[in-house]
Amino acid sequence: MNCKICNRKAIKNGFCKLHMKAYESVDGKYKIWNKALEISWKEYLSEIVKNPFTGEWAKEVAEYLVKNGEERNVKDC
Ligand SMILES: [Zn+2]
C-alpha cells in the first residue's frame, strides 16, 4: 500500500513515514488550538493550509484531509 498523498510506501494509516509524522504534528497541535479557541477540526485544517508558516508536509496532509473531508479520529481526546 502506498501513501495517500505522495505514493511512497505507507507505514501507518495510509501515510508514509514523513506524512505520518506531519499528520501527528497537525493532530497534536489541534488539541492545543481546540483548547484555546474551540475551533472545529475542519476550520483548523483550513487555517493550517492558509498559514504561510505551515511546513510543506503538514500543508499537504491538511490539504488532503480537507479535500477528502476526513473526520478526525477521536481516539485520545
Ligand atoms: Zn507521503
Side-chain angles (χ1 to χ4, degrees), residues 3 6 16 19:
C3 175
C6 69
C16 67
H19 280 120

Side-chain angles (χ1 to χ4, degrees), residues 1 3 7 12 15-16 18 25-26 31-32 43 50 53 56-57 59-60 62-64 66 70:
M1 187 183 175
C3 175
N7 290 325
K12 200 179 155 193
F15 294 122
C16 67
L18 291 164
S25 109
V26 165
K31 281 178 218 164
I32 300 162
E43 282 163 348
K50 274 191 288 184
F53 299 109
E56 274 311 302
W57 296 99
K59 197 172 274 188
E60 282 175 12
E63 271 168 359
Y64 168 83
V66 169
E70 283 201 11

